Amino acid sequence: MRILAFLSLILVLTSCDDDDAYLVELNLNFEHHVDNEVLVFNEINYENNSDEFYSISELKYIISNIQLQNKNGNWFSYPVEDSYFLINAGVEESLIVNLSGIPNGNYQNIRFGFGVDQSNYPLNGVNNFVPTAEENDMLWSWSAGYIFLKFEGEYQLVDPIAPENFLYHVGSHGQNLDNYRTVELAVDLDLNADTQLDISADVSKIFDATHQMSLQQKSDIQIDPENAPKIADNVVEMFQIQMN
Amino acid sequence: MCRALYVLCLLFLLVACGSDDSSYTDIEDENRVLDFPQPDFFPSPTYDLEANPPTEKGFELGKKLFYDGRLSSTGVISCGFCHIQEFSFTHHTHIVSHGVNGALGTRNAQPLMNLAYMEDFSWDGSAAHLDAFPIIPITTDVEMNESVGNVIEKLKADEDYQSLFAAAFENENIDADNMFKALSQFLIMMVSADTKYDKVMQGNAVFSEEEASGKAVFEAKCASCHSGILFTDQSYRNNGLPINPEYNDIGRERVTGESDDRYKFKVPTLRNIALTYPYMHDGRFQTLSEVLNHYDSGMDHTENLDPIFINDNEIGIPLSDTEKSQLLAFLQSLTDDNFILDQRFSEF
């Protein structure tokens, strides 16, 4: 009896792989730029469209819910409970997001979330991301909520004036305001072996994309129902597929 | 063709192994799903019972976690330290919550019951889901002052917890997701719906004259906010408390960033209200009489005072002495003695 069962099992396992399906690894490699230069922390003064000079001391954000669309239009969703990642532009190891078990094939679009989707919260194991978020100070403990973006540094208007700090902390505001966003990028991804996909993030877009953010007008943005959604909109636009 | 063959083989597999594994059903039965004690006169739970069905082992684990001081940095402050069953899971001797090393919080511990029916949690709605709520007390420096990651490490090192998590959850993991799910399983089973009021509503008891008059006053003057069978509309409102400069607690504004939400706090349930003193978000009133006096004549016209309290340029809810004593009698009928004595929720 057992032998028969075992034979059937083998039959089940082998009978359907007539289209050469197998699994591959995809590494997303996040690179950070300001305009066209590689991001350098603290030392360089960049200029935004509001004629403000800024330097960056910290840039961290959460990405989640990674999906890939193949040439037939079907979406593959990476297991949601494993798809929360913290990108810290200042920490090398955090810049590569390793995704394993992806069906081989040709893909035309990649989608990922900025932040944590409240509609799923806290199902799908998102609470297992709490310790990581905690270690990286990406949790508002008093609100049981994730900080999606921490972007900090200094700014000044003209050179002789002493620089002042700026600070953008963006997350969702309880159930009142959802600042989760979806990023979708067209790719031409021939995923028939383990592959690395370079994604470039142009940090200057946080100030200047859909919305123009001026540090002079507001340099401390946290739980700000007017400005936090604008920053979230801008973050969506900072990502770009890097062609090699 | 391939699909048909596959299904056939699969069927055969299921049949072939059935007779050998007599222990299979026993394992299934070991962790029984608990019946959620839904009173038929309550609304449907907001908590998704299918996503995290309370089980015997999950409940047991949740209870152990609830009463375990290791969730705090000093090892002595458990959830149950501030949420004491005989006071409907609140704390009496402290006006605001006390945490590690005697640290003082700024808010009064809320009662724990009927949480399966709440839209969001804490005085300002800062936790959108019960499974995320424990992050707040665990990580707040004036409460348990610990990190969730650290708690998980402590639990992983403990043999009791290793077997309890393995018994409670199919994936057997000791992780934050399972820890919060177990705590929620324990908490949502705390349904309190067996008060004199409930018995009267079911036709199994009769109000005294005083209580009946109190109910009429309540319905005329209180029930627009403390509405429905849960005695709260779950909204956030400013009820005119004079601002305490020591805390200057801005209330819901901290969560939403909206200045319209300044000084607004969750309308609390009134179930077990006689047991849950002190009252208000900062515990400023020791007795229900003080609370009624506040509504009658103690309100300040602070920013965002709820318009419901403003009538003909007067603020407050005028209450005669007779109405006050009738209301007090009625509020006593909202106490559920069986709930506070229920052994399932007791530490010992």
Side-chain angles (χ1 to χ4, degrees):
Chain A
M1 201 61 166
R2 276 184 188 277
I3 289 171
L4 266 176
F6 183 66
L7 281 175
S8 314
L9 188 63
I10 289 179
L11 201 57
V12 166
L13 291 174
T14 55
S15 57
C16 290
D17 60 353
D18 42 13
D19 49 359
D20 274 338
Y22 54 96
L23 302 174
V24 296
E25 268 186 32
L26 173 64
N27 285 319
L28 305 180
N29 176 38
F30 285 83
E31 297 170 355
H32 298 90
H33 298 91
V34 180
D35 297 321
N36 292 315
E37 302 159 43
V38 172
L39 165 65
V40 178
F41 282 102
N42 299 314
E43 279 149 43
I44 295 187
N45 268 340
Y46 303 104
E47 189 179 357
N48 66 21
N49 289 355
S50 307
D51 302 322
E52 297 156 341
F53 297 92
Y54 63 94
S55 65
I56 299 168
S57 59
E58 180 147 70
L59 174 63
K60 299 191 277 198
Y61 52 91
I62 293 170
I63 67 157
S64 60
N65 296 326
I66 298 160
Q67 294 181 303
L68 289 165
Q69 187 184 39
N70 68 17
K71 296 283 184 203
N72 302 328
N74 298 323
W75 286 96
F76 163 76
S77 298
Y78 197 72
V80 174
E81 64 274 21
D82 298 327
S83 79
Y84 298 94
F85 298 95
L86 181 101
I87 310 289
N88 183 341
V91 175
E92 197 76 31
E93 310 86 76
S94 79
L95 302 180
I96 296 207
V97 169
N98 175 261
L99 308 169
S100 55
I102 309 217
N104 70 309
N106 295 311
Y107 292 92
Q108 56 174 339
N109 275 306
I110 182 166
R111 222 187 241 167
F112 56 87
F114 161 66
V116 174
D117 186 2
Q118 278 209 128
S119 57
N120 281 327
Y121 191 79
L123 308 173
N124 296 319
V126 62
N127 274 334
N128 284 334
F129 190 61
V130 168
T132 308
E134 210 172 45
E135 278 164 35
N136 290 282
D137 295 320
M138 296 294 272
L139 208 60
W140 275 309
S141 71
W142 50 266
S143 82
Y146 290 100
I147 301 173
F148 301 169
L149 168 78
K150 263 194 180 178
F151 181 44
E152 299 177 12
E154 292 185 334
Y155 75 102
Q156 57 197 123
L157 300 180
V158 279
D159 224 4
I161 297 175
E164 293 188 42
N165 294 329
F166 79 85
L167 179 154
Y168 287 178
H169 291 181
V170 174
S172 285
H173 303 175
Q175 299 197 66
N176 212 49
L177 178 67
D178 188 355
N179 285 318
Y180 174 80
R181 295 288 185 278
T182 302
V183 178
E184 187 170 322
L185 301 168
V187 284
D188 187 4
L189 192 58
D190 186 6
L191 208 54
N192 291 304
D194 295 353
T195 303
Q196 174 168 312
L197 180 66
D198 295 329
I199 297 177
S200 157
D202 179 356
V203 179
S204 70
K205 292 269 176 36
I206 300 177
F207 292 116
D208 298 298
T210 306
H211 311 278
Q212 184 174 339
M213 308 303 296
S214 156
L215 290 168
Q216 203 183 356
Q217 273 174 25
K218 198 159 190 200
S219 57
D220 182 340
I221 294 177
Q222 308 178 70
I223 316 282
D224 178 331
E226 190 197 335
N227 291 302
K230 290 182 182 170
I231 296 170
D233 292 343
N234 283 358
V235 166
V236 170
E237 291 191 49
M238 78 174 179
F239 299 102
Q240 215 180 342
I241 299 295
Q242 188 97 333
M243 297 302 171
N244 292 316
Chain B
M1 172 58 205
C2 174
R3 190 171 290 255
L5 194 65
Y6 179 91
V7 171
L8 266 177
C9 292
L10 207 60
L11 269 177
F12 183 70
L13 258 179
L14 290 173
V15 174
C17 297
S19 55
D20 296 335
D21 289 328
S22 53
S23 61
Y24 183 70
T25 46
D26 296 344
I27 292 169
E28 281 275 277
D29 286 346
E30 237 177 53
N31 189 15
R32 195 168 53 88
V33 174
L34 298 175
D35 286 329
F36 179 72
Q38 171 71 24
D40 43 13
F41 48 95
F42 264 36
S44 302
T46 50
Y47 193 88
D48 187 345
L49 293 164
E50 278 176 31
N52 183 28
T55 62
E56 205 168 34
K57 303 290 184 191
F59 178 91
E60 190 190 325
L61 171 59
K63 179 171 168 178
K64 186 174 164 69
L65 289 164
F66 184 84
Y67 287 113
D68 193 336
R70 278 175 289 185
L71 267 61
S72 70
S73 60
T74 54
V76 290
I77 308 288
S78 66
C79 308
F81 180 83
C82 292
H83 296 284
I84 299 167
Q85 184 177 14
E86 57 178 310
F87 314 138
S88 193
F89 296 96
T90 56
H91 207 312
H92 275 188
T93 50
H94 303 147
I95 291 171
V96 290
S97 57
H98 279 202
V100 294
N101 304 321
L104 286 177
T106 60
R107 293 194 182 154
N108 173 19
Q110 290 190 283
L112 304 179
M113 69 208 155
N114 302 332
L115 296 176
Y117 304 96
M118 296 299 150
E119 308 284 348
D120 43 24
F121 301 87
S122 96
W123 281 107
D124 54 18
S126 54
H129 197 289
L130 186 59
D131 293 6
F133 177 80
I135 295 170
I136 300 175
I138 289 173
T139 61
T140 299
D141 54 353
V142 294
E143 296 187 47
M144 296 158 102
N145 190 31
E146 184 50 290
S147 75
V148 174
N150 228 4
V151 171
I152 299 298
E153 291 313 309
K154 287 190 254 184
L155 300 180
K156 278 182 175 168
D158 182 285
E159 279 181 22
D160 283 351
Y161 277 116
Q162 287 163 13
S163 49
L164 283 167
F165 273 86
F169 294 103
E170 235 166 80
N171 67 17
E172 305 195 355
N173 293 339
I174 300 183
D175 59 26
D177 201 45
N178 285 343
M179 174 173 73
F180 292 140
K181 280 182 173 159
L183 278 166
S184 288
Q185 288 184 29
F186 176 60
L187 292 171
I188 59 175
M189 291 299 285
M190 294 183 184
V191 175
S192 174
D194 193 18
T195 65
K196 179 168 185 188
Y197 174 87
D198 296 308
K199 292 188 178 93
V200 173
M201 291 301 113
Q202 302 303 300
N204 298 323
V206 186
F207 279 136
S208 70
E209 209 173 297
E210 184 91 336
E211 288 165 344
S213 310
K215 180 169 181 281
V217 177
F218 181 83
E219 279 164 2
K221 300 196 170 182
C222 314
S224 50
C225 302
H226 295 287
S227 61
I229 198 74
L230 297 170
F231 294 88
T232 168
D233 64 358
Q234 304 203 37
S235 65
Y236 298 87
R237 297 172 189 257
N238 175 358
N239 63 347
L241 293 169
I243 306 305
N244 181 340
E246 189 185 345
Y247 305 130
N248 192 28
D249 193 333
I250 58 173
R252 183 145 173 81
E253 185 186 7
R254 188 169 70 164
V255 174
T256 66
E258 305 277 0
S259 57
D260 290 355
D261 284 333
R262 188 166 304 159
Y263 303 136
K264 289 184 185 175
F265 294 88
K266 172 69 83 52
V267 173
T269 175
L270 298 184
R271 285 185 171 271
N272 294 318
I273 194 69
L275 303 174
T276 60
Y277 60 87
Y279 302 108
M280 303 297 155
H281 66 273
D282 54 7
R284 67 176 69 193
F285 300 133
Q286 287 297 314
T287 64
L288 285 171
S289 293
E290 287 176 65
V291 173
L292 297 183
N293 289 339
H294 164 73
Y295 283 115
D296 176 33
S297 57
M299 277 190 197
D300 261 9
H301 199 151
T302 54
E303 201 178 339
N304 299 317
L305 174 68
D306 201 282
I308 206 161
F309 298 116
I310 307 169
N311 292 301
D312 302 331
N313 295 322
E314 295 282 317
I315 58 170
I317 308 171
L319 293 167
S320 69
D321 286 350
T322 312
E323 286 175 318
K324 285 178 192 168
S325 55
Q326 289 166 339
L327 275 175
L328 290 175
F330 173 70
L331 293 173
Q332 293 290 335
S333 81
L334 300 178
T335 298
D336 181 350
D337 290 324
N338 291 329
F339 175 69
I340 61 161
L341 297 171
D342 194 326
Q343 277 300 313
R344 290 176 300 160
F345 310 127
S346 305
E347 182 168 12
F348 304 109

